[in-house]
Amino acid sequence: MGNVFILQWKRLMKHPLVVVMFLGLTILFVYFMGGSQGSSSINVQVYSESLTKEELNIWIDRLNKDDSIIFEATDYETVEEEIRMNEIGYAMEIGAETYQFLVGREDERLPVVDQHVNQIFREQVRLETVRADFPDSEIEVREFLTVEGMTQPEDSGTLNRYQLSILTGMTFYFAMFTILYLQINVVEEKKKGTWNRLIFSPLSKTQIYLGLLSHYFLVGLVQIAIAFFILTNLLDLDLGTNYVSMAAVTLAFIFTIVSLGMLISALVPSPQSLQVVIPIVATSMAMLGGAFWPLDIVDNRFLLFIAEFIPIKHGLNGMVDAIYSGLPLSQLLQPIGILLLMGILFIGIGINLMERVSNV
């Protein structure tokens, strides 16, 4: 096992372009994506179909009494386009005495915004009622009780669930690419016939497979660890301290992807075919598994059913629950168990097919 493991690392050192490229893509994406998600303030686009521009600006001034929520005036066409392109999750329409939200995707910050707006509207309605009852009196609003709260600074990097899902999903996506592309070496050895010579060498098959799989496993683990190191240290984003749960989900996900690579390597006939298959498999799995967008916005039941068989979906859900919700390991047994079951099935079928090819 040790000899095979060291041999794979020597081979990687001679041709490190693939790993360096995907590691670089991971770092760049996580750095720029994570850096753009660091603000803790909430921006809300506001438009009106019935109010004039001056009346809308008056409402904007009333709503912007809280610095943590920033309301910006816009128009319906701009809002519709931004929601359609998934640039914003929701916007608010204001009328003379009512308001409503135009929602494109679920956002956990929406109830906070709704509560704030509802409070402002209720206060304004009460003022208008009192002014109508006492038209000759001057009504003045005074604060008799002030509550001071502690908020995190804007550079603290607190991520919401959607942002965390995208960052984690893309980290897993690039790690999947790296692991699968490394296994092109196995297909090349099958094509050249060196795989059969390796199988019939004094090394046992268990040592050979463990040496190969542990190499791919460690490379994927290092890549994900570097990405999370950038998130926590260079970008100052808070990923919590639930390290046991995070590590368990990550290890289970990497094991599943390594096993999937072994299965794909056993099925494809040539390295060129594998180079075509890998982008299709990795990208489609990332799309269906929620790495590019949250599955909450998907209404198609068939696609949601397929997503249940995608490893990245369960790895992503487990990681987000571990970081965002702080769930202990005992409450993450379902996604971890599903990943391990998938990995066992993949590697069992893959090694069986590899052995059949070797015997032929």
Side-chain angles (χ1 to χ4, degrees):
M1 171 184 171
N3 293 333
V4 177
F5 180 78
I6 295 174
L7 177 63
Q8 297 303 314
W9 280 104
K10 289 182 178 179
R11 175 182 292 178
L12 179 60
M13 293 300 104
K14 292 180 180 179
H15 304 284
L17 180 60
V18 172
V19 175
V20 173
M21 180 180 65
F22 286 116
L23 181 59
L25 289 174
T26 304
I27 294 173
L28 287 175
F29 186 89
V30 170
Y31 183 82
F32 289 109
M33 183 73 177
S36 65
Q37 306 291 355
S39 177
S40 60
S41 61
I42 303 175
N43 295 316
V44 182
Q45 301 294 322
V46 182
Y47 69 96
S48 178
E49 297 284 306
S50 58
L51 300 180
T52 64
K53 185 176 181 180
E54 291 74 16
E55 292 173 333
L56 179 60
N57 289 332
I58 292 175
W59 272 112
I60 294 294
D61 293 337
R62 292 170 182 165
L63 294 170
N64 280 329
K65 61 185 300 184
D66 188 347
D67 295 337
S68 63
I69 305 178
I70 302 174
F71 295 85
E72 300 175 348
T74 185
D75 55 82
Y76 174 76
E77 289 74 17
T78 302
V79 164
E80 184 183 34
E81 178 66 16
E82 290 180 347
I83 291 180
R84 187 176 66 85
M85 298 301 294
N86 202 31
E87 296 178 3
I88 59 175
Y90 58 89
M92 186 175 70
E93 179 184 4
I94 289 184
E97 298 180 352
T98 60
Y99 69 93
Q100 63 180 359
F101 289 97
L102 181 64
V103 181
R105 66 169 184 264
E106 292 186 7
D107 195 308
E108 67 276 4
R109 297 175 296 181
L110 184 56
V112 177
V113 176
D114 185 29
Q115 182 180 8
H116 172 75
V117 176
N118 185 52
Q119 180 181 352
I120 299 298
F121 265 81
R122 287 179 178 273
E123 179 180 304
Q124 188 62 29
V125 169
R126 287 197 298 268
L127 285 175
E128 295 297 335
T129 302
V130 173
R131 286 170 179 161
D133 294 338
F134 302 95
D136 299 330
S137 302
E138 183 178 351
I139 308 300
E140 181 181 357
V141 179
R142 294 182 179 180
E143 294 184 359
F144 293 95
L145 181 62
T146 302
V147 178
E148 294 184 359
M150 296 181 62
T151 58
Q152 295 178 333
E154 290 187 358
D155 59 350
S156 64
T158 300
L159 298 171
N160 62 44
R161 190 178 183 91
Y162 167 71
Q163 296 166 342
L164 180 60
S165 176
I166 296 299
L167 289 176
T168 306
M170 295 306 297
T171 301
F172 281 177
Y173 170 63
F174 285 118
M176 186 191 314
F177 255 109
T178 301
I179 294 172
L180 295 180
Y181 262 103
L182 283 178
Q183 300 195 33
I184 292 179
N185 295 330
V186 177
V187 182
E188 290 179 347
E189 291 177 351
K190 286 169 49 183
K191 189 72 174 178
K192 295 178 181 179
T194 56
W195 177 259
N196 288 335
R197 292 197 296 269
L198 182 63
I199 291 295
F200 291 109
S201 66
L203 294 174
S204 66
K205 294 181 180 179
T206 302
Q207 291 177 320
I208 295 173
Y209 284 116
L210 286 178
L212 288 172
L213 298 178
S214 59
H215 166 69
Y216 304 139
F217 188 92
L218 186 58
V219 171
L221 183 61
V222 169
Q223 180 170 328
I224 294 177
I226 291 175
F228 285 141
F229 175 83
I230 294 173
L231 283 174
T232 55
N233 294 277
L234 301 185
L235 298 182
D236 197 25
L237 297 177
D238 185 12
L239 297 183
T241 58
N242 195 11
Y243 300 125
V244 174
S245 298
M246 294 168 58
V249 174
T250 302
L251 295 176
F253 173 76
I254 297 175
F255 168 71
T256 305
I257 299 305
V258 170
S259 302
L260 176 64
M262 183 62 67
L263 174 60
I264 297 175
S265 299
L267 292 173
V268 296
S270 65
Q272 293 76 17
S273 300
L274 185 58
Q275 291 177 352
V276 175
V277 170
I278 288 175
I280 297 175
V281 172
T283 304
S284 60
M285 289 177 64
M287 294 174 64
L288 293 172
F292 295 163
W293 49 72
L295 294 179
D296 296 336
I297 67 174
V298 180
D299 296 328
N300 191 302
R301 293 184 177 180
F302 179 70
L303 294 180
L304 292 175
F305 174 76
I306 295 179
E308 296 298 325
F309 301 93
I310 304 299
I312 197 170
K313 187 256 187 184
H314 301 284
L316 187 57
N317 288 346
M319 184 62 70
V320 172
D321 287 338
I323 298 174
Y324 186 80
S325 303
L327 296 183
L329 182 60
S330 59
Q331 297 185 28
L332 295 174
L333 295 180
Q334 180 177 353
I336 293 176
I338 293 175
L339 288 173
L340 293 178
L341 178 60
M342 288 183 177
I344 292 173
L345 290 175
F346 292 155
I347 199 169
I349 298 174
I351 291 179
N352 184 268
L353 292 176
M354 291 285 286
E355 290 299 307
R356 290 187 179 183
V357 172
S358 300
N359 294 333
V360 173

mmCIF file with all atom_site columns, all heavy atoms in Angstrom, residues 223-242:
data_model
loop_
_atom_site.group_PDB
_atom_site.id
_atom_site.type_symbol
_atom_site.label_atom_id
_atom_site.label_alt_id
_atom_site.label_comp_id
_atom_site.label_asym_id
_atom_site.label_entity_id
_atom_site.label_seq_id
_atom_site.pdbx_PDB_ins_code
_atom_site.Cartn_x
_atom_site.Cartn_y
_atom_site.Cartn_z
_atom_site.occupancy
_atom_site.B_iso_or_equiv
_atom_site.pdbx_formal_charge
_atom_site.auth_seq_id
_atom_site.auth_comp_id
_atom_site.auth_asym_id
_atom_site.auth_atom_id
_atom_site.pdbx_PDB_model_num
ATOM 1   N N   . GLN A 1 223 ? -7.493  19.826 -0.626 1.00 0.00 ? 223 GLN A N   1
ATOM 2   C CA  . GLN A 1 223 ? -8.093  20.916 -1.394 1.00 0.00 ? 223 GLN A CA  1
ATOM 3   C C   . GLN A 1 223 ? -9.249  21.560 -0.636 1.00 0.00 ? 223 GLN A C   1
ATOM 4   O O   . GLN A 1 223 ? -9.359  22.787 -0.563 1.00 0.00 ? 223 GLN A O   1
ATOM 5   C CB  . GLN A 1 223 ? -8.587  20.398 -2.746 1.00 0.00 ? 223 GLN A CB  1
ATOM 6   C CG  . GLN A 1 223 ? -9.227  21.474 -3.608 1.00 0.00 ? 223 GLN A CG  1
ATOM 7   C CD  . GLN A 1 223 ? -9.478  20.989 -5.023 1.00 0.00 ? 223 GLN A CD  1
ATOM 8   O OE1 . GLN A 1 223 ? -8.733  20.162 -5.549 1.00 0.00 ? 223 GLN A OE1 1
ATOM 9   N NE2 . GLN A 1 223 ? -10.522 21.508 -5.643 1.00 0.00 ? 223 GLN A NE2 1
ATOM 10  N N   . ILE A 1 224 ? -10.130 20.753 -0.054 1.00 0.00 ? 224 ILE A N   1
ATOM 11  C CA  . ILE A 1 224 ? -11.253 21.293 0.704  1.00 0.00 ? 224 ILE A CA  1
ATOM 12  C C   . ILE A 1 224 ? -10.761 22.007 1.955  1.00 0.00 ? 224 ILE A C   1
ATOM 13  O O   . ILE A 1 224 ? -11.277 23.068 2.334  1.00 0.00 ? 224 ILE A O   1
ATOM 14  C CB  . ILE A 1 224 ? -12.246 20.170 1.058  1.00 0.00 ? 224 ILE A CB  1
ATOM 15  C CG1 . ILE A 1 224 ? -12.892 19.626 -0.217 1.00 0.00 ? 224 ILE A CG1 1
ATOM 16  C CG2 . ILE A 1 224 ? -13.317 20.665 2.031  1.00 0.00 ? 224 ILE A CG2 1
ATOM 17  C CD1 . ILE A 1 224 ? -13.833 18.459 0.017  1.00 0.00 ? 224 ILE A CD1 1
ATOM 18  N N   . ALA A 1 225 ? -9.749  21.450 2.602  1.00 0.00 ? 225 ALA A N   1
ATOM 19  C CA  . ALA A 1 225 ? -9.208  22.077 3.809  1.00 0.00 ? 225 ALA A CA  1
ATOM 20  C C   . ALA A 1 225 ? -8.621  23.450 3.489  1.00 0.00 ? 225 ALA A C   1
ATOM 21  O O   . ALA A 1 225 ? -8.791  24.410 4.259  1.00 0.00 ? 225 ALA A O   1
ATOM 22  C CB  . ALA A 1 225 ? -8.147  21.180 4.439  1.00 0.00 ? 225 ALA A CB  1
ATOM 23  N N   . ILE A 1 226 ? -7.930  23.583 2.362  1.00 0.00 ? 226 ILE A N   1
ATOM 24  C CA  . ILE A 1 226 ? -7.361  24.875 1.972  1.00 0.00 ? 226 ILE A CA  1
ATOM 25  C C   . ILE A 1 226 ? -8.482  25.887 1.714  1.00 0.00 ? 226 ILE A C   1
ATOM 26  O O   . ILE A 1 226 ? -8.387  27.062 2.101  1.00 0.00 ? 226 ILE A O   1
ATOM 27  C CB  . ILE A 1 226 ? -6.468  24.715 0.737  1.00 0.00 ? 226 ILE A CB  1
ATOM 28  C CG1 . ILE A 1 226 ? -5.207  23.921 1.099  1.00 0.00 ? 226 ILE A CG1 1
ATOM 29  C CG2 . ILE A 1 226 ? -6.089  26.061 0.158  1.00 0.00 ? 226 ILE A CG2 1
ATOM 30  C CD1 . ILE A 1 226 ? -4.317  23.620 -0.088 1.00 0.00 ? 226 ILE A CD1 1
ATOM 31  N N   . ALA A 1 227 ? -9.551  25.441 1.056  1.00 0.00 ? 227 ALA A N   1
ATOM 32  C CA  . ALA A 1 227 ? -10.667 26.339 0.774  1.00 0.00 ? 227 ALA A CA  1
ATOM 33  C C   . ALA A 1 227 ? -11.299 26.848 2.065  1.00 0.00 ? 227 ALA A C   1
ATOM 34  O O   . ALA A 1 227 ? -11.579 28.055 2.201  1.00 0.00 ? 227 ALA A O   1
ATOM 35  C CB  . ALA A 1 227 ? -11.711 25.619 -0.084 1.00 0.00 ? 227 ALA A CB  1
ATOM 36  N N   . PHE A 1 228 ? -11.526 25.975 3.026  1.00 0.00 ? 228 PHE A N   1
ATOM 37  C CA  . PHE A 1 228 ? -12.109 26.397 4.298  1.00 0.00 ? 228 PHE A CA  1
ATOM 38  C C   . PHE A 1 228 ? -11.125 27.236 5.114  1.00 0.00 ? 228 PHE A C   1
ATOM 39  O O   . PHE A 1 228 ? -11.542 28.119 5.874  1.00 0.00 ? 228 PHE A O   1
ATOM 40  C CB  . PHE A 1 228 ? -12.568 25.183 5.095  1.00 0.00 ? 228 PHE A CB  1
ATOM 41  C CG  . PHE A 1 228 ? -13.826 24.566 4.572  1.00 0.00 ? 228 PHE A CG  1
ATOM 42  C CD1 . PHE A 1 228 ? -13.993 23.184 4.545  1.00 0.00 ? 228 PHE A CD1 1
ATOM 43  C CD2 . PHE A 1 228 ? -14.855 25.347 4.103  1.00 0.00 ? 228 PHE A CD2 1
ATOM 44  C CE1 . PHE A 1 228 ? -15.153 22.619 4.059  1.00 0.00 ? 228 PHE A CE1 1
ATOM 45  C CE2 . PHE A 1 228 ? -16.022 24.806 3.609  1.00 0.00 ? 228 PHE A CE2 1
ATOM 46  C CZ  . PHE A 1 228 ? -16.170 23.430 3.582  1.00 0.00 ? 228 PHE A CZ  1
ATOM 47  N N   . PHE A 1 229 ? -9.827  26.986 4.953  1.00 0.00 ? 229 PHE A N   1
ATOM 48  C CA  . PHE A 1 229 ? -8.827  27.821 5.620  1.00 0.00 ? 229 PHE A CA  1
ATOM 49  C C   . PHE A 1 229 ? -8.900  29.255 5.110  1.00 0.00 ? 229 PHE A C   1
ATOM 50  O O   . PHE A 1 229 ? -8.801  30.216 5.888  1.00 0.00 ? 229 PHE A O   1
ATOM 51  C CB  . PHE A 1 229 ? -7.428  27.248 5.387  1.00 0.00 ? 229 PHE A CB  1
ATOM 52  C CG  . PHE A 1 229 ? -6.326  28.105 5.946  1.00 0.00 ? 229 PHE A CG  1
ATOM 53  C CD1 . PHE A 1 229 ? -5.981  28.009 7.284  1.00 0.00 ? 229 PHE A CD1 1
ATOM 54  C CD2 . PHE A 1 229 ? -5.650  29.008 5.135  1.00 0.00 ? 229 PHE A CD2 1
ATOM 55  C CE1 . PHE A 1 229 ? -4.965  28.804 7.806  1.00 0.00 ? 229 PHE A CE1 1
ATOM 56  C CE2 . PHE A 1 229 ? -4.636  29.803 5.644  1.00 0.00 ? 229 PHE A CE2 1
ATOM 57  C CZ  . PHE A 1 229 ? -4.298  29.697 6.986  1.00 0.00 ? 229 PHE A CZ  1
ATOM 58  N N   . ILE A 1 230 ? -9.105  29.395 3.818  1.00 0.00 ? 230 ILE A N   1
ATOM 59  C CA  . ILE A 1 230 ? -9.235  30.738 3.239  1.00 0.00 ? 230 ILE A CA  1
ATOM 60  C C   . ILE A 1 230 ? -10.485 31.427 3.769  1.00 0.00 ? 230 ILE A C   1
ATOM 61  O O   . ILE A 1 230 ? -10.474 32.618 4.099  1.00 0.00 ? 230 ILE A O   1
ATOM 62  C CB  . ILE A 1 230 ? -9.267  30.641 1.699  1.00 0.00 ? 230 ILE A CB  1
ATOM 63  C CG1 . ILE A 1 230 ? -7.928  30.130 1.179  1.00 0.00 ? 230 ILE A CG1 1
ATOM 64  C CG2 . ILE A 1 230 ? -9.607  31.989 1.067  1.00 0.00 ? 230 ILE A CG2 1
ATOM 65  C CD1 . ILE A 1 230 ? -7.922  29.834 -0.292 1.00 0.00 ? 230 ILE A CD1 1
ATOM 66  N N   . LEU A 1 231 ? -11.566 30.682 3.860  1.00 0.00 ? 231 LEU A N   1
ATOM 67  C CA  . LEU A 1 231 ? -12.815 31.263 4.361  1.00 0.00 ? 231 LEU A CA  1
ATOM 68  C C   . LEU A 1 231 ? -12.661 31.783 5.783  1.00 0.00 ? 231 LEU A C   1
ATOM 69  O O   . LEU A 1 231 ? -13.117 32.873 6.110  1.00 0.00 ? 231 LEU A O   1
ATOM 70  C CB  . LEU A 1 231 ? -13.936 30.225 4.308  1.00 0.00 ? 231 LEU A CB  1
ATOM 71  C CG  . LEU A 1 231 ? -14.563 29.935 2.945  1.00 0.00 ? 231 LEU A CG  1
ATOM 72  C CD1 . LEU A 1 231 ? -15.547 28.785 3.063  1.00 0.00 ? 231 LEU A CD1 1
ATOM 73  C CD2 . LEU A 1 231 ? -15.255 31.153 2.393  1.00 0.00 ? 231 LEU A CD2 1
ATOM 74  N N   . THR A 1 232 ? -12.038 30.989 6.630  1.00 0.00 ? 232 THR A N   1
ATOM 75  C CA  . THR A 1 232 ? -11.998 31.328 8.055  1.00 0.00 ? 232 THR A CA  1
ATOM 76  C C   . THR A 1 232 ? -10.899 32.322 8.404  1.00 0.00 ? 232 THR A C   1
ATOM 77  O O   . THR A 1 232 ? -11.084 33.156 9.295  1.00 0.00 ? 232 THR A O   1
ATOM 78  C CB  . THR A 1 232 ? -11.802 30.056 8.890  1.00 0.00 ? 232 THR A CB  1
ATOM 79  O OG1 . THR A 1 232 ? -10.624 29.364 8.437  1.00 0.00 ? 232 THR A OG1 1
ATOM 80  C CG2 . THR A 1 232 ? -12.985 29.128 8.743  1.00 0.00 ? 232 THR A CG2 1
ATOM 81  N N   . ASN A 1 233 ? -9.777  32.289 7.702  1.00 0.00 ? 233 ASN A N   1
ATOM 82  C CA  . ASN A 1 233 ? -8.629  33.111 8.085  1.00 0.00 ? 233 ASN A CA  1
ATOM 83  C C   . ASN A 1 233 ? -8.424  34.320 7.186  1.00 0.00 ? 233 ASN A C   1
ATOM 84  O O   . ASN A 1 233 ? -8.344  35.448 7.679  1.00 0.00 ? 233 ASN A O   1
ATOM 85  C CB  . ASN A 1 233 ? -7.353  32.260 8.103  1.00 0.00 ? 233 ASN A CB  1
ATOM 86  C CG  . ASN A 1 233 ? -7.380  31.197 9.183  1.00 0.00 ? 233 ASN A CG  1
ATOM 87  O OD1 . ASN A 1 233 ? -7.062  31.462 10.338 1.00 0.00 ? 233 ASN A OD1 1
ATOM 88  N ND2 . ASN A 1 233 ? -7.754  29.978 8.821  1.00 0.00 ? 233 ASN A ND2 1
ATOM 89  N N   . LEU A 1 234 ? -8.358  34.116 5.904  1.00 0.00 ? 234 LEU A N   1
ATOM 90  C CA  . LEU A 1 234 ? -8.076  35.231 5.012  1.00 0.00 ? 234 LEU A CA  1
ATOM 91  C C   . LEU A 1 234 ? -9.284  36.133 4.813  1.00 0.00 ? 234 LEU A C   1
ATOM 92  O O   . LEU A 1 234 ? -9.135  37.348 4.671  1.00 0.00 ? 234 LEU A O   1
ATOM 93  C CB  . LEU A 1 234 ? -7.583  34.700 3.657  1.00 0.00 ? 234 LEU A CB  1
ATOM 94  C CG  . LEU A 1 234 ? -6.318  33.845 3.702  1.00 0.00 ? 234 LEU A CG  1
ATOM 95  C CD1 . LEU A 1 234 ? -5.861  33.496 2.301  1.00 0.00 ? 234 LEU A CD1 1
ATOM 96  C CD2 . LEU A 1 234 ? -5.211  34.556 4.465  1.00 0.00 ? 234 LEU A CD2 1
ATOM 97  N N   . LEU A 1 235 ? -10.489 35.558 4.769  1.00 0.00 ? 235 LEU A N   1
ATOM 98  C CA  . LEU A 1 235 ? -11.691 36.363 4.564  1.00 0.00 ? 235 LEU A CA  1
ATOM 99  C C   . LEU A 1 235 ? -12.421 36.679 5.855  1.00 0.00 ? 235 LEU A C   1
ATOM 100 O O   . LEU A 1 235 ? -13.399 37.418 5.846  1.00 0.00 ? 235 LEU A O   1
ATOM 101 C CB  . LEU A 1 235 ? -12.653 35.632 3.608  1.00 0.00 ? 235 LEU A CB  1
ATOM 102 C CG  . LEU A 1 235 ? -12.111 35.366 2.202  1.00 0.00 ? 235 LEU A CG  1
ATOM 103 C CD1 . LEU A 1 235 ? -13.162 34.685 1.355  1.00 0.00 ? 235 LEU A CD1 1
ATOM 104 C CD2 . LEU A 1 235 ? -11.659 36.658 1.549  1.00 0.00 ? 235 LEU A CD2 1
ATOM 105 N N   . ASP A 1 236 ? -11.979 36.107 6.946  1.00 0.00 ? 236 ASP A N   1
ATOM 106 C CA  . ASP A 1 236 ? -12.577 36.364 8.260  1.00 0.00 ? 236 ASP A CA  1
ATOM 107 C C   . ASP A 1 236 ? -14.070 36.032 8.262  1.00 0.00 ? 236 ASP A C   1
ATOM 108 O O   . ASP A 1 236 ? -14.891 36.751 8.829  1.00 0.00 ? 236 ASP A O   1
ATOM 109 C CB  . ASP A 1 236 ? -12.370 37.822 8.679  1.00 0.00 ? 236 ASP A CB  1
ATOM 110 C CG  . ASP A 1 236 ? -12.604 38.016 10.170 1.00 0.00 ? 236 ASP A CG  1
ATOM 111 O OD1 . ASP A 1 236 ? -12.456 37.028 10.923 1.00 0.00 ? 236 ASP A OD1 1
ATOM 112 O OD2 . ASP A 1 236 ? -12.951 39.136 10.579 1.00 0.00 ? 236 ASP A OD2 1
ATOM 113 N N   . LEU A 1 237 ? -14.430 34.928 7.615  1.00 0.00 ? 237 LEU A N   1
ATOM 114 C CA  . LEU A 1 237 ? -15.816 34.472 7.617  1.00 0.00 ? 237 LEU A CA  1
ATOM 115 C C   . LEU A 1 237 ? -15.986 33.415 8.700  1.00 0.00 ? 237 LEU A C   1
ATOM 116 O O   . LEU A 1 237 ? -15.147 32.539 8.871  1.00 0.00 ? 237 LEU A O   1
ATOM 117 C CB  . LEU A 1 237 ? -16.197 33.886 6.252  1.00 0.00 ? 237 LEU A CB  1
ATOM 118 C CG  . LEU A 1 237 ? -16.146 34.869 5.080  1.00 0.00 ? 237 LEU A CG  1
ATOM 119 C CD1 . LEU A 1 237 ? -16.476 34.159 3.787  1.00 0.00 ? 237 LEU A CD1 1
ATOM 120 C CD2 . LEU A 1 237 ? -17.105 36.027 5.308  1.00 0.00 ? 237 LEU A CD2 1
ATOM 121 N N   . ASP A 1 238 ? -17.076 33.519 9.420  1.00 0.00 ? 238 ASP A N   1
ATOM 122 C CA  . ASP A 1 238 ? -17.296 32.642 10.574 1.00 0.00 ? 238 ASP A CA  1
ATOM 123 C C   . ASP A 1 238 ? -17.933 31.333 10.129 1.00 0.00 ? 238 ASP A C   1
ATOM 124 O O   . ASP A 1 238 ? -19.086 31.309 9.705  1.00 0.00 ? 238 ASP A O   1
ATOM 125 C CB  . ASP A 1 238 ? -18.194 33.361 11.582 1.00 0.00 ? 238 ASP A CB  1
ATOM 126 C CG  . ASP A 1 238 ? -18.359 32.561 12.872 1.00 0.00 ? 238 ASP A CG  1
ATOM 127 O OD1 . ASP A 1 238 ? -17.601 31.597 13.051 1.00 0.00 ? 238 ASP A OD1 1
ATOM 128 O OD2 . ASP A 1 238 ? -19.237 32.905 13.678 1.00 0.00 ? 238 ASP A OD2 1
ATOM 129 N N   . LEU A 1 239 ? -17.180 30.250 10.225 1.00 0.00 ? 239 LEU A N   1
ATOM 130 C CA  . LEU A 1 239 ? -17.713 28.919 9.919  1.00 0.00 ? 239 LEU A CA  1
ATOM 131 C C   . LEU A 1 239 ? -17.980 28.121 11.187 1.00 0.00 ? 239 LEU A C   1
ATOM 132 O O   . LEU A 1 239 ? -18.267 26.927 11.111 1.00 0.00 ? 239 LEU A O   1
ATOM 133 C CB  . LEU A 1 239 ? -16.741 28.145 9.026  1.00 0.00 ? 239 LEU A CB  1
ATOM 134 C CG  . LEU A 1 239 ? -16.475 28.750 7.641  1.00 0.00 ? 239 LEU A CG  1
ATOM 135 C CD1 . LEU A 1 239 ? -15.556 27.845 6.849  1.00 0.00 ? 239 LEU A CD1 1
ATOM 136 C CD2 . LEU A 1 239 ? -17.768 28.989 6.888  1.00 0.00 ? 239 LEU A CD2 1
ATOM 137 N N   . GLY A 1 240 ? -17.915 28.767 12.330 1.00 0.00 ? 240 GLY A N   1
ATOM 138 C CA  . GLY A 1 240 ? -18.229 28.087 13.579 1.00 0.00 ? 240 GLY A CA  1
ATOM 139 C C   . GLY A 1 240 ? -17.088 27.201 14.051 1.00 0.00 ? 240 GLY A C   1
ATOM 140 O O   . GLY A 1 240 ? -15.996 27.155 13.472 1.00 0.00 ? 240 GLY A O   1
ATOM 141 N N   . THR A 1 241 ? -17.373 26.468 15.102 1.00 0.00 ? 241 THR A N   1
ATOM 142 C CA  . THR A 1 241 ? -16.369 25.573 15.704 1.00 0.00 ? 241 THR A CA  1
ATOM 143 C C   . THR A 1 241 ? -16.862 24.131 15.790 1.00 0.00 ? 241 THR A C   1
ATOM 144 O O   . THR A 1 241 ? -16.337 23.349 16.581 1.00 0.00 ? 241 THR A O   1
ATOM 145 C CB  . THR A 1 241 ? -16.005 26.079 17.108 1.00 0.00 ? 241 THR A CB  1
ATOM 146 O OG1 . THR A 1 241 ? -17.193 26.150 17.909 1.00 0.00 ? 241 THR A OG1 1
ATOM 147 C CG2 . THR A 1 241 ? -15.358 27.456 17.046 1.00 0.00 ? 241 THR A CG2 1
ATOM 148 N N   . ASN A 1 242 ? -17.852 23.808 14.969 1.00 0.00 ? 242 ASN A N   1
ATOM 149 C CA  . ASN A 1 242 ? -18.397 22.453 14.992 1.00 0.00 ? 242 ASN A CA  1
ATOM 150 C C   . ASN A 1 242 ? -17.529 21.540 14.118 1.00 0.00 ? 242 ASN A C   1
ATOM 151 O O   . ASN A 1 242 ? -17.983 20.967 13.120 1.00 0.00 ? 242 ASN A O   1
ATOM 152 C CB  . ASN A 1 242 ? -19.848 22.472 14.488 1.00 0.00 ? 242 ASN A CB  1
ATOM 153 C CG  . ASN A 1 242 ? -20.590 21.194 14.809 1.00 0.00 ? 242 ASN A CG  1
ATOM 154 O OD1 . ASN A 1 242 ? -20.115 20.354 15.571 1.00 0.00 ? 242 ASN A OD1 1
ATOM 155 N ND2 . ASN A 1 242 ? -21.758 21.035 14.228 1.00 0.00 ? 242 ASN A ND2 1
#
